[in-house]
Amino acid sequence: MKRGKSAGHHEHCDKCYSVHCQAPVQSSVSCLVIKCHKNCGATFHMCKQEEHQLLCPNETVPCLNVHYGCPLTMQRRRLARHLEVCPASVVCCSQEWNRWPVSESDLTFYRNISESPQTELHLDVAMALRDQELLFRSIKMKNIFPELMMESPVLQDITAGVNRPAEEAACSSDYAEFRVNSCAQIEVKELNQEERDALAKSEDVDDIQNYSSWEKIFAKEMGGCKDSHLQCESKEANIAEYNMYLVHHGAMLINFGQLAACTPREKDFVYGSLEPIEVQTVHTFNIPTSYRAKRSHLKDPAQKAKSFHRSVDTEDLGLSADDLPKCDEVQSTLLCSLEKELKGHLISESVTVDGLYVDVGTQTYNFSSAPFKTDASLADVIADKPHGLHVHIEAESVTRRHNKTSSAFSYMCGHFFRRDEYRSHFRNVHSDIQASLSGWLQQRCPLAYLGCTFTQTRFQPAGHQATVKYCQDANTFILETQVPSSLCESVKTFSRERNGVHNLDPLSRLPLEILQHVAGYLDSFTLSQLSQVSRLMREVCATLLQERGMVSLKWEKKTYSHGGSSWRCRKKVWEFSSLFSPVDRWSFSDAPSMSDHLKTCSFYEREDRTEPVVLACLGEVREKRREEK
C-alpha cells in the first residue's frame, strides 16, 4: 500500500520486507522491527503498524453489512463465514407461478368451494384466495375502464368557473371548450383578439410556471425572424429558398403571428398566393405473388349492394336503461385486463381487414357501482360484496421460456428470509408442498368436476406428528404440531383453578434462562408468533434476534419546502421470518382411502345397466362370419 510522507516515514522501511532486518535504528532512516500485537504472525517495521491494521486477519472490525443494520463486530478472518448467517443479508423469494381465470365450465365446483372455503384444510384454495386478493389490489379501474371514472374536481372547476371573476370565468370556459372539443375532434371555436388578451393575462392556466422558459424560446425565434427579414430586404429571395424556409419555419411563424414580419414581398400571407405544385406518385411496392385477395373483395364494385353507416345503440333493443342487465365487475375486469395485456382495451377499436377495409367496433359496459373513483382498485369496488373464487386452484410454474403476454396472471412469493434460510424455504414450500398440491400431497375427490369439495392430505413430515396448514395472517404454509390431549387438559385445569386471579401460566413461571433455552429450539415462524403472546415472551424472543432474526431498513420519503424530495432511512426493523422447521423426508399419513369417501359421496350416483348393449364392432364380426360361410 502506497503511503504519503509523514512524521513516521522512513526511506529504508518503505523498501524493506526482511523479517530479520538488522538495519541500524535511526530517526530519519529506519525503525524497529516488531510483531503484530494481535498475534497473526506478521513481522514488520514499527512505522507500518497502521497499515497492517487494515489487513490484519485478527483485527476486530464491523460486519460488511453494517450500513444495512448488522450491529455485530468480529475478527476480519470471520467475515466470510458470518455473511452466511448475517441478519442483514436478507433474500427475497422470487418464485413465480401463473393462474388462469375460472372458465364457465367449472362454475359449479368454484361456487361450492366459495361457500365453505375451509382454508386451513384446503391448501390450494387458500393459496388461490391469497393470489386473488393480490390481483384485485393491483388492478386499477382507471387503466381498464377510463371512460367510467368520476370526473376530476379540477376539470369540474374549470368547466363551471366556480368562485372566479366574470372575465376569468369566461376565459376559462373558452379554454375548457377548447380542451373538450380537441379531445372529441370537433371544430374549435375561434377566439377574438380581446379573448386572447384575457387568456394571456390570466394566471389560471396549466404549466404557468414554465412561462419564463417559453418566453426565452419565443424571444430567440423572434430574433431569428428579424434577422431573416433584414436579409430579405437587402437581398431578393428566390422561390426555392423561400419555399424551403417555409417548410422549416412556417408552422412556428403561423402559430405565433410572426409570418407577416418574415414575408419578403407581402405583409399578409395567405395560402392562395402560392403556386400549386404537381404531385407525382411513384409506385415502389410490388404485390407479392403469394398474395390472394379475399373473395368478397374481388367482386365488381358497381354491382355491390349499397351499404351505409349506422350507429347501433341499446335503444334498438326496446328496453329502458334500468331494465338492461348489469355486468359483473370481477368477470368483466379480469377479461378486459387480459385483453389489455395482449392488445389494449379501447372503447372504440378499429381493425384493418385488408389494407383498404376497416371495421369499427364499440364495446360498452354497464356496472351498478360505476362511476369509479380515480384511485379505486378492483378490491375497493367489490369490498361490500360477497367474495368468491375467480382464479383456478391449479397453479402453473413459470419458466424462462414463459411468454408474459399470455392470458394468465403471474404471481410472486415475495417473502423475505435470511440467506441461510432460503434453501429450506424453497425446497419445502415450493418444491415439496406447492408443486404437489394437485393430487399428490393433497388429494381431491375424483368427482370434483361435478362440485364435490372433499379433500384430504396424504403426507406428513416423517418423525413427528404435524399437519401442513395455510396461515392467513402470514400468507404462507406452516407446520402445526399435533399436541397431545392430556397436555391440553392440564392447561385448561390450571386456567379454571386460577380463574379470577392475576397469575402467570406454568410456562411463564419458569426462570428466564430456561425460557431462553426452550425458545432456542423453536423455528422462526413459531418465534414470531410467541413474541406476540405477552411482554415476557417478547423479551425472551428479543434475545434471539441477532442469532435467528433478520434486520431491514425502513425508508421514508421526505419532501422539502422548495418542492424537492429524497429518501432516508427512518429506522431499523428486526423481525423473524415465516420459515418453519426444515423437513428432510415425508411419509404417508393415516388418511383413509379415497374409495371410503366415494361410498358416501353425494355426487357419486351409480347407474345399473340390465339391458344388453350391442358392442361397436359386433356387426363387423357377424358380416365376416357370413362371408366365410
Side-chain angles (χ1 to χ4, degrees), residues 69-280:
C70 183
L72 301 180
T73 56
M74 65 207 71
Q75 294 180 345
R76 183 175 282 110
R77 59 188 177 90
R78 300 182 183 274
L79 286 177
R81 181 172 296 181
H82 165 71
L83 289 179
E84 299 178 0
V85 294
C86 178
S89 184
V90 181
V91 179
C92 178
C93 182
S94 59
Q95 174 68 10
E96 293 185 355
W97 57 89
N98 291 340
R99 290 191 189 274
W100 294 81
V102 176
S103 59
E104 296 181 357
S105 60
D106 300 332
L107 291 180
T108 304
F109 169 76
Y110 287 94
R111 189 183 300 109
N112 296 342
I113 203 65
S114 301
E115 296 176 356
S116 58
Q118 298 179 358
T119 54
E120 292 185 357
L121 300 177
H122 298 215
L123 304 179
D124 50 358
V125 176
M127 196 68 180
L129 289 175
R130 175 257 184 188
D131 295 343
Q132 178 178 278
E133 182 180 1
L134 295 178
L135 175 64
F136 288 176
R137 291 180 182 177
S138 62
I139 296 180
K140 300 298 182 181
M141 303 304 291
K142 64 179 179 181
N143 298 332
I144 308 299
F145 304 106
E147 68 278 0
L148 298 179
M149 305 306 295
M150 291 184 177
E151 189 177 2
S152 176
V154 178
L155 185 59
Q156 293 178 358
D157 294 342
I158 293 178
T159 56
V162 180
N163 298 328
R164 293 181 183 174
E167 296 180 358
E168 294 184 5
C171 177
S172 300
S173 62
D174 293 335
Y175 176 68
E177 183 180 357
F178 169 76
R179 292 188 59 184
V180 175
N181 290 341
S182 62
C183 296
Q185 298 183 357
I186 302 177
E187 183 180 358
V188 182
K189 179 182 178 181
E190 185 70 21
L191 301 179
N192 53 31
Q193 188 62 31
E194 296 180 357
E195 293 174 344
R196 291 178 181 176
D197 296 339
L199 180 61
K201 295 179 181 180
S202 177
E203 297 181 358
D204 191 10
V205 182
D206 293 345
D207 298 335
I208 193 63
Q209 64 273 11
N210 299 330
Y211 174 77
S212 58
S213 302
W214 294 343
E215 192 67 21
K216 294 180 181 178
I217 297 176
F218 298 156
K220 293 180 181 179
E221 297 291 348
M222 183 177 295
C225 294
K226 292 181 179 179
D227 294 340
S228 62
H229 176 63
L230 294 177
Q231 293 178 3
C232 292
E233 293 180 353
S234 59
K235 178 182 178 181
E236 187 71 15
N238 54 36
I239 190 63
E241 295 178 353
Y242 176 66
N243 291 337
M244 185 60 65
Y245 181 82
L246 289 181
V247 169
H248 294 285
H249 305 282
M252 182 271 297
L253 299 176
I254 294 175
N255 292 335
F256 299 106
Q258 302 295 332
L259 191 59
C262 298
T263 304
R265 296 181 179 179
E266 301 176 0
K267 293 184 179 181
D268 297 328
F269 172 77
V270 293
Y271 284 101
S273 61
L274 289 180
E275 298 179 359
I277 301 176
E278 181 181 359
V279 179
Q280 298 180 359

Side-chain angles (χ1 to χ4, degrees), residues 62-73 86 88 553 572:
C63 174
L64 296 178
N65 293 327
V66 61
H67 299 293
Y68 296 99
C70 183
L72 301 180
T73 56
C86 178
L553 303 180
K572 301 175 182 178

Side-chain angles (χ1 to χ4, degrees), residues 9-14 23-31:
H9 173 71
H10 304 107
E11 296 181 358
H12 170 76
C13 299
D14 289 343
V25 178
Q26 299 180 6
S27 59
S28 60
V29 179
S30 63
C31 59

Side-chain angles (χ1 to χ4, degrees), residues 281-523:
T281 304
V282 180
H283 297 280
T284 60
F285 174 75
N286 296 326
I287 301 178
T289 57
S290 60
Y291 174 76
R292 296 293 182 270
K294 293 186 177 181
R295 184 174 299 178
S296 59
H297 297 164
L298 296 178
K299 298 179 180 179
D300 186 6
Q303 300 179 359
K304 185 179 179 181
K306 295 183 179 181
S307 61
F308 57 93
H309 295 279
R310 180 179 179 182
S311 299
V312 181
D313 199 356
T314 53
E315 295 181 355
D316 300 336
L317 300 177
L319 300 176
S320 61
D322 298 336
D323 297 335
L324 293 176
K326 300 294 183 179
C327 300
D328 183 73
E329 289 85 352
V330 177
Q331 297 293 340
S332 301
T333 303
L334 294 182
L335 178 62
C336 294
S337 178
L338 295 176
E339 291 180 350
K340 179 179 175 60
E341 186 178 0
L342 292 177
K343 58 182 179 180
H345 166 67
L346 298 175
I347 188 63
S348 295
E349 186 174 3
S350 301
V351 179
T352 303
V353 179
D354 196 12
L356 299 177
Y357 296 89
V358 178
D359 292 341
V360 179
T362 302
Q363 175 65 51
T364 58
Y365 296 92
N366 186 15
F367 300 114
S368 58
S369 56
F372 308 116
K373 296 182 179 180
T374 307
D375 56 346
S377 62
L378 181 57
D380 301 332
V381 174
I382 63 173
D384 300 335
K385 299 182 179 180
H387 294 180
L389 187 58
H390 301 276
V391 294
H392 274 217
I393 59 176
E394 295 86 3
E396 299 179 356
S397 60
V398 177
T399 62
R400 291 181 297 177
R401 297 180 178 87
H402 168 64
N403 184 11
K404 288 293 184 180
T405 60
S406 62
S407 298
F409 299 105
S410 299
Y411 306 90
M412 189 178 70
C413 176
H415 288 283
F416 292 89
F417 301 92
R418 291 161 53 111
R419 187 171 296 275
D420 58 334
E421 297 177 341
Y422 178 72
R423 173 178 173 271
S424 178
H425 160 75
F426 190 90
R427 182 186 62 179
N428 292 147
V429 174
H430 298 300
S431 298
D432 296 343
I433 300 178
Q434 187 175 359
S436 304
L437 287 179
S438 301
W440 187 241
L441 179 68
Q442 180 180 264
Q443 186 180 17
R444 286 199 169 275
C445 176
L447 303 178
Y449 69 96
L450 296 178
C452 183
T453 60
F454 176 79
T455 183
Q456 62 181 7
T457 304
R458 302 177 60 195
F459 289 90
Q460 66 180 12
H464 59 279
Q465 298 292 331
T467 306
V468 179
K469 291 189 176 182
Y470 189 84
C471 180
Q472 294 287 348
D473 298 332
N475 289 328
T476 185
F477 294 102
I478 62 172
L479 286 182
E480 185 177 280
T481 305
Q482 298 178 4
V483 182
S485 58
S486 59
L487 183 59
C488 297
E489 291 296 334
S490 61
V491 175
K492 293 180 181 179
T493 304
F494 178 83
S495 301
R496 288 193 297 266
E497 293 176 355
R498 300 292 181 179
N499 188 17
V501 181
H502 181 72
N503 203 342
L504 299 176
D505 57 273
L507 183 61
S508 301
R509 296 171 60 184
L510 295 176
L512 181 62
E513 294 79 4
I514 298 180
L515 292 177
Q516 293 177 348
H517 182 73
V518 172
Y521 290 95
L522 303 178
D523 54 49

